[in-house]
Amino acid sequence: MSRGLPHVAIWSPMPPAATGIAKHSFDLLNSLKSDLQVSVVVPPCDVDRAMIPEGVGLLNSIEALQGHIGQPDLHIYNLGNHFRFHGWMLEPLHSHPGILVLHDVSLYDLYRGLCSESGALWEKAIAQEGYDEMLSTRLEVDVHGSLVPDRIAY
């Protein structure tokens, strides 16, 4: 890594993770490393197996938040829809703002994973709370756009 260049931390899954974002990030890091001091940030459990381009720093997410090699000038988060590959970066995204690159139009499965990593809580909510019925519920609102509780049509 070159000294004196802006330091960018890119939060992303990396190969061999079975996600297209990992491959995209590998290629992106290869392109950026000549113009920036670049580090990739992965969860601690992925440090030993993460494949990164030569000349790119590797940090686990705890080190990146504590600035072990110098605090990055910019954080870039590559966020996708799969909780296992991307859920680990949600808290740091709030505490260390940066650029958020959304790779999916829908984050449904990411939110589902937030309910429970196994998804069991989400499935329970659907089964017990009548999710299908909730989707078909027609809610009535008053002229100000407020929900009229006694006029909920089932």
Side-chain angles (χ1 to χ4, degrees):
M1 291 183 287
S2 302
R3 297 272 178 214
L5 295 174
H7 182 196
V8 176
I10 297 184
W11 296 66
S12 181
M14 293 301 293
T19 170
I21 296 173
K23 167 84 170 88
H24 163 80
S25 293
F26 187 92
D27 295 340
L28 176 65
L29 290 164
N30 241 344
S31 297
L32 294 177
K33 69 182 182 180
S34 61
D35 298 317
L36 300 166
Q37 178 184 349
V38 184
S39 298
V40 65
V41 182
V42 298
C45 61
D46 288 349
V47 169
D48 292 336
R49 64 179 173 222
M51 297 167 46
I52 61 169
E54 187 176 327
V56 172
L58 176 63
L59 298 170
N60 71 51
S61 54
I62 296 167
E63 292 171 333
L65 296 176
Q66 295 173 350
H68 282 258
I69 64 166
Q71 195 62 22
D73 299 306
L74 176 65
H75 294 271
I76 300 175
Y77 299 88
N78 281 316
L79 189 67
N81 189 32
H82 198 288
F83 183 76
R84 184 168 54 104
F85 295 126
H86 306 281
W88 60 274
M89 63 180 88
L90 293 174
E91 277 189 47
L93 180 60
H94 290 281
S95 63
H96 290 72
I99 295 173
L100 175 61
V101 180
L102 293 174
H103 289 267
D104 292 291
V105 174
S106 170
L107 297 178
Y108 173 85
D109 289 324
L110 183 67
Y111 293 133
R112 180 178 176 183
L114 285 172
C115 290
S116 167
E117 191 166 340
S118 69
L121 181 60
W122 182 265
E123 299 300 332
K124 183 177 177 183
I126 290 173
Q128 291 185 352
E129 302 301 325
Y131 185 73
D132 291 333
E133 289 81 18
M134 183 181 75
L135 287 178
S136 64
T137 299
R138 231 182 71 244
L139 302 178
E140 293 194 28
V141 295
D142 63 20
V143 293
H144 303 290
S146 300
L147 183 64
V148 180
D150 60 338
R151 294 202 183 164
I152 297 175
Y154 292 98

